[in-house]
Amino acid sequence: MSDSARIVIIGGGVGGASVAYHLTQLGERDVVLLERDELTSGSTFHSAGLVGQLRADPTLTRMNQYSVELYRTLDAGWTECGGIKLASTPERMAEIRRQIGWARTFGLPLEEISVAEAVELFPLMNPEGVVGAAYLPTDGQIDPSRLCYELAAKARQGGARIRTRTRVLGLDVTGGRVTRVRTDQGDIDCEIVVNCGGMFAAEIGRMAGVRIPIVPMSHQYVVTEGFHDHTGLPTLRDPDLLVYYRQEVSGLVMGGYERTCAPWTADRTTYDAIPADFNGRLLAEDWPRLEEISDNSRIRVPAMGDVGIRKLINGPEAFTPDNEFCLGETEVGGFYVAAGFCAHGIAGAGGIGKVMAEWIVEGEPSMDVWHMDIRRFGRQYRSPSYTLARAVENYETYYDIRYPGDERSAGRPLRVSPVYGWHAAHGAVFGEKAGWERVNHYERNARGADGQDAEGQRPRGWAGRNFSPAIAAEHRATRSAAGLFDESSFAKIEVTGPDAASLLEWVCDNRVAREVGAVTYTQALNGRGGIECDFTVTRRAEQEFLIVTGTAFGSHDLGWLRKQARLRDADVRVADVTGQYACFGLWGPRARDILSTLTPDPLEFPFLTSRELTVGDVPVLALRVTFVGELGWELYCSSEYGLALWQALWRAGEPQGMLAGGYKAIDSLRLEKGYRVWGADLGPETTPYEAGLGFCVKRDKDFLGKDALDPHPARKLRCLTLGDPGAVALGNEPVRIDGQVVARVTSGGYGHTVESSIAYAYLEAEPGAKVEVEVEGAWVAGSVVSDPLYDPAGQRLR
């Protein structure tokens, strides 16, 4: 064996083979792929082989589309048979119609078909109870093992070396970077390691001191004996019955996602350990656990009650806690992961290989893969039991309809604000993000301080499923008097040290190394000029900066900043201090009156500056910033003071009409004000100029991504108002102009002050242009308007 290689890939399944192939396509030749047994002997050989393209995540849909494009060119048994998704309930049909809208934005030919048309395409099905269906002719199926071997052969042709029956024993990490792979066939010095270990990925990660939160789950399907003479049957999914089918010669493959799943592990402390000799093997048949799916399968395909079963496949598949892939560079430099494919790795394998190869060779992928980035998993996922609880819940609800505002319940509560008990006692309805319990709204506010009932503002259909009139009341109170919001979950990062200022000046497009006390709203860009981070930076001292970012983005932004510090060899400390500080937003026209009763300190300091204050008996850092477009402050205090500060603010504000509010009201308020959200309106594929944030870009200094920026992009993020206020877009809905789909909605909702349905989309259109947005199957007329809709001159916030 060679004793060195630039890149070592661990794992010879379809993921590892795809990464190797795509690396060679980008010109990498010094690549070694290691497999402990034979290629495909992990999960690939027992995969069902379905390839569905449309997913709720836009990036994953594009990755799956690329997979299909690639598979068409390979000799791997690709069959473009099409795919049908059935609706056995009206609610499922509403979901399907939303998905048909999403598909338009990707150019996928997904169409609604009648029940009779579904039967014509799949004659074995019983139409009884079916409400409707959708058909995607470009979906298909492939032979997983042939796919893996074909990709591996092409990787060899490109110069990669493949070593089977080579077991990895350890990884050496020096100076925070991976440097060597130790195997039972010798050691390999290297610069980069890609962990494509599938269900073994967590074990491989521990060799480098990295926690990879995956759980092997027992996943079963049956292969029937031959019983029909149809050819070219499409794949068939009936999520209401928890089942899927595909053709297997003259029989069927049938599987699904049962409500009583079975995590598979050899160690009840880590929940991811696998026996050392488990290579190319299956688990024991578990017929009782298949009983629910088996009974359901006969409802939709009656022949399943009589046909013989050739074999039952019970194989472990690696699942993540949120059913998204686990990709990207870990906290150990040069140590990447591509694992946790959640039983749809065959559909995604082509796209996975593409984005991972780009990430490694070019430093960043061409797509926004935040929903799959390993950095999304916070420190709570170091807990095996928490990871298990979340993975089990996701598996058992795999086919459930995801309504807006639906919340997971496993592992809760875990991270709580110092005011959690107060919130619960005052009727808070909690949501969860990044492990934090956050107030969505207070149900007792359904009739606001003004006594007005906002039930009439409930959106129709999908958007109204989890709406509460309290959201509108909290919105109105913030505009008319004041709102008090617990934002303690906001991620907080301290950057300190001799090189803190120079590092942040390089990372940020805005000028952040200003006078002590200055607060700067800025973006951090990647090499393509895309927005990697969106946050505020407060300079607290010459060598001390406080960054505040979104709850769900703390681990991402922390990892991004640390990587940039490492690349520049900066003398800095980048630390997550989220839990050290409580944060409360006090906003509204009466905010100054309320706060002035609690502090002897002057409050007349300018917008986007900070001051140390005493509020009640609590030392506070006050930032004159807002995310709702009203006068006010974010008030930070050490966590042990949090409850005392909140109670003081509440006692002072309640008599003046202030309401405590939640994040649903904040979202409505920020939509009216045109404030952007990273992960929806902003991301690595959008630039500040496209997003309407060109005012942040200081071109008179050097910063990462500057040379890639075009100050005059063709498309820009535009605000849309819909003519029907009861039709509310939530995200991913198609937008068309002159009958042609030109964009998708990035975020949307209802503005309770402007009394309008609001949406945002990237368009090559100016204010005044007429648009249509598809909301639940109906095209709703709207207009491109100048934003912000509320207080465009910004007088109220000052």
Side-chain angles (χ1 to χ4, degrees), residues 556-577:
H556 171 278
D557 294 1
L558 184 74
W560 177 262
L561 290 165
R562 284 177 171 167
K563 180 177 181 179
Q564 304 312 313
R566 185 173 68 243
L567 291 173
R568 293 181 66 83
D569 196 24
D571 185 3
V572 297
R573 177 176 180 266
V574 182
D576 180 1
V577 295

Side-chain angles (χ1 to χ4, degrees), residues 699-747:
R699 300 193 69 90
D700 60 346
K701 68 160 193 163
D702 288 329
F703 57 87
L704 178 60
K706 174 182 175 180
D707 293 341
L709 291 178
D710 177 3
H712 306 289
R715 68 168 195 163
K716 291 184 179 179
L717 186 65
R718 295 299 191 188
C719 180
L720 317 177
T721 56
L722 306 188
D724 180 355
V728 174
L730 300 170
N732 289 333
E733 293 86 352
V735 181
R736 71 183 184 186
I737 296 177
D738 296 330
Q740 182 177 357
V741 174
V742 294
R744 66 177 181 85
V745 171
T746 58
S747 66

Side-chain angles (χ1 to χ4, degrees), residues 516-749:
V516 172
V519 181
T520 306
Y521 172 54
T522 185
Q523 294 77 48
L525 311 183
N526 57 36
R528 305 188 313 276
I531 301 172
E532 281 289 342
C533 313
D534 179 72
F535 45 52
T536 61
V537 180
T538 301
R539 189 169 199 171
R540 302 202 63 187
E542 287 301 313
Q543 297 184 6
E544 180 181 346
F545 296 81
L546 174 67
I547 291 174
V548 179
T549 188
T551 301
F553 312 135
S555 57
H556 171 278
D557 294 1
L558 184 74
W560 177 262
L561 290 165
R562 284 177 171 167
K563 180 177 181 179
Q564 304 312 313
R566 185 173 68 243
L567 291 173
R568 293 181 66 83
D569 196 24
D571 185 3
V572 297
R573 177 176 180 266
V574 182
D576 180 1
V577 295
T578 300
Q580 296 180 27
Y581 297 100
C583 171
F584 308 133
L586 172 62
W587 294 306
R590 297 181 191 168
R592 183 176 283 115
D593 296 335
I594 294 168
L595 193 58
S596 65
T597 66
L598 297 172
T599 180
D601 300 307
L603 297 177
E604 302 299 332
F605 53 96
F607 186 60
L608 292 179
T609 61
S610 65
R611 294 287 187 277
E612 300 280 352
L613 306 177
T614 298
V615 178
D617 297 325
V618 178
V620 165
L621 172 66
L623 273 58
R624 275 279 282 118
V625 296
T626 179
F627 199 54
V628 302
E630 297 290 343
L631 168 73
W633 296 264
E634 285 180 357
L635 304 172
Y636 295 81
C637 69
S638 185
S639 289
E640 71 269 21
Y641 291 109
L643 180 58
L645 177 60
W646 180 273
Q647 290 177 327
L649 293 166
W650 177 249
R651 286 191 297 266
E654 187 184 22
Q656 299 202 45
M658 181 184 78
L659 288 184
Y663 279 86
K664 298 298 184 182
I666 290 178
D667 193 52
S668 173
L669 291 157
R670 72 95 188 166
L671 282 168
E672 293 183 334
K673 192 58 182 169
Y675 293 144
R676 281 69 165 130
V677 173
W678 196 86
D681 307 308
L682 312 176
E685 296 182 65
T686 57
T687 72
Y689 290 110
E690 291 175 321
L693 300 175
F695 63 90
C696 292
V697 180
K698 300 298 182 282
R699 300 193 69 90
D700 60 346
K701 68 160 193 163
D702 288 329
F703 57 87
L704 178 60
K706 174 182 175 180
D707 293 341
L709 291 178
D710 177 3
H712 306 289
R715 68 168 195 163
K716 291 184 179 179
L717 186 65
R718 295 299 191 188
C719 180
L720 317 177
T721 56
L722 306 188
D724 180 355
V728 174
L730 300 170
N732 289 333
E733 293 86 352
V735 181
R736 71 183 184 186
I737 296 177
D738 296 330
Q740 182 177 357
V741 174
V742 294
R744 66 177 181 85
V745 171
T746 58
S747 66

Side-chain angles (χ1 to χ4, degrees), residues 31 70 156 300 501 566 686:
V31 178
L70 174 64
R156 282 195 184 98
R300 193 55 60 225
R566 185 173 68 243
T686 57

